[in-house]
Amino acid sequence: GTAQKGFYINQISDSWVPIPPLNEQIRIVEKAQSLLDIVQIINYSKEETSNNIIALKSKILDLAISGKLVRQDKSDEPAIELLKRINPQYQPADNRHYGNLPDSWEICQLKDIFDITMGQSPAGNTINGKCGTEFHQGKINFTDKYLSESGQYTTTPSKTAAPESLLLCVRAPVGVVNITKREICIGRGLCSLLPKYDIDCLYWLYMLSTLKDYFEENATGSTFKAISGDIIRNACIPFPPLSEQKRILSKINELFCLLDKITAEL
């Protein structure tokens, strides 16, 4: 056939098929069914294991953000000292409403520890596929950690994110985080958060991901949910001593690497 492929009844009736003895047919059906049952169990176990790994990663981050993933070291400089170096006028918040955090930790707002830039789209006629500053509007080029290339550029960037900045998606889906290793232009769907002190951005990639529910709950809008700059700047987050931040990141990387290996072998 040309439009739709088909075949005739005589082609079916004249086809040759191997026929085993009846008792062997029965044994074949029984064996095939038992093997299919095993395959179904394996597939179910893979899905269940994958879901458990996702839940376990979330639990690891919950422990990290509450000061329970690694041991505290009494020789660590208290977090407030670092915050005062970042901003000599920093005023400590009341930690009591945030649960039982270690004494050396502080609760601070994102504006205390990041330079925050809300995105603004450049003029449409400046966007091209060849030259200028790489342009990103939303999370379409997000990966699990580091931003991939967009293939779009603008010759007149309006708002930019510096290398080693965190990118936060501020429009549906809100709260998703990535890291850019290069300077880019950011549109209205993103904001950038550049740490005010020397820290591996991976630490804050993990920690900011724990605020996703908070951002979703505070998002507004009927058609597309979005979060404002004030919501981002005033969001509170636990802040451990710098040395402990590094230990937390090391432990997360160790545990996540193990879980990723298990996932790859499923």
Side-chain angles (χ1 to χ4, degrees):
T2 54
Q4 288 184 317
K5 298 290 186 181
F7 50 89
Y8 298 101
I9 186 67
N10 65 312
Q11 292 175 290
I12 300 173
S13 59
D14 292 343
S15 297
W16 292 84
V17 293
I19 301 291
L22 179 59
N23 287 338
E24 188 170 350
Q25 292 180 35
I26 294 171
R27 293 196 300 275
I28 289 172
V29 170
E30 291 174 347
K31 186 64 174 178
Q33 187 59 56
S34 67
L35 293 175
L36 288 173
D37 289 342
I38 292 172
V39 170
Q40 187 174 12
I41 291 171
I42 291 172
N43 285 335
Y44 174 78
S45 297
K46 284 183 177 180
E47 183 178 356
E48 186 179 33
T49 301
S50 180
N51 290 335
N52 287 338
I53 287 174
I54 293 172
L56 184 54
K57 283 187 173 183
S58 179
K59 182 62 178 178
I60 288 170
L61 295 182
D62 287 343
L63 292 173
I65 205 72
S66 60
K68 298 175 182 177
L69 185 63
V70 299
R71 290 184 179 182
Q72 278 72 53
D73 187 334
K74 292 183 178 179
S75 66
D76 288 344
E77 178 188 64
I80 192 171
E81 299 302 326
L82 173 58
L83 290 168
K84 286 181 177 179
R85 283 200 299 277
I86 294 172
N87 177 15
Q89 281 73 48
Y90 173 78
Q91 294 296 320
D94 183 0
N95 289 5
R96 289 173 295 177
H97 71 284
Y98 211 94
N100 298 318
L101 289 176
D103 292 339
S104 58
W105 288 42
E106 284 292 317
I107 295 294
C108 64
Q109 295 176 307
L110 295 186
K111 64 185 178 183
D112 295 323
I113 50 178
F114 295 105
D115 288 321
I116 300 172
T117 302
M118 303 301 294
Q120 181 180 337
S121 298
N125 59 6
T126 71
I127 298 174
N128 65 89
K130 294 181 179 180
C131 62
T133 303
E134 187 179 342
F135 173 59
H136 289 261
Q137 180 66 280
K139 66 173 288 291
I140 189 171
N141 297 110
F142 279 21
T143 69
D144 61 331
K145 293 185 180 73
Y146 298 103
L147 184 73
S148 63
E149 294 183 3
S150 68
Q152 286 191 314
Y153 303 87
T154 174
T155 52
T156 57
S158 45
K159 298 289 185 177
T160 59
E164 301 301 329
S165 291
L166 293 128
L167 302 174
L168 177 67
C169 194
V170 302
R171 292 185 175 181
V174 300
V176 184
V177 188
N178 241 216
I179 298 171
T180 178
K181 305 291 285 185
R182 57 199 180 277
E183 183 180 57
I184 61 168
C185 173
I186 53 174
R188 295 181 196 171
L190 298 173
C191 85
S192 74
L193 300 97
L194 180 65
K196 295 180 179 181
Y197 66 105
D198 186 18
I199 183 66
D200 189 327
C201 277
L202 267 179
Y203 173 80
W204 283 113
L205 175 81
Y206 294 132
M207 296 303 104
L208 288 177
S209 69
T210 67
L211 292 179
K212 191 173 189 302
D213 288 344
Y214 168 81
F215 288 136
E216 289 177 346
E217 291 168 3
N218 287 275
T220 58
S222 54
T223 306
F224 296 104
K225 296 289 186 180
I227 47 177
S228 67
D230 285 340
I231 292 295
I232 298 166
R233 286 185 284 269
N234 296 325
C236 292
I237 195 163
F239 190 79
L242 179 57
S243 296
E244 188 168 349
Q245 292 180 32
K246 295 177 180 178
R247 294 196 300 274
I248 289 171
L249 176 58
S250 178
K251 178 58 70 172
I252 291 175
N253 284 338
E254 174 190 342
L255 296 174
F256 277 23
C257 181
L258 176 60
L259 294 174
D260 288 342
K261 286 182 179 179
I262 294 173
T263 300
E265 293 173 1
L266 290 177

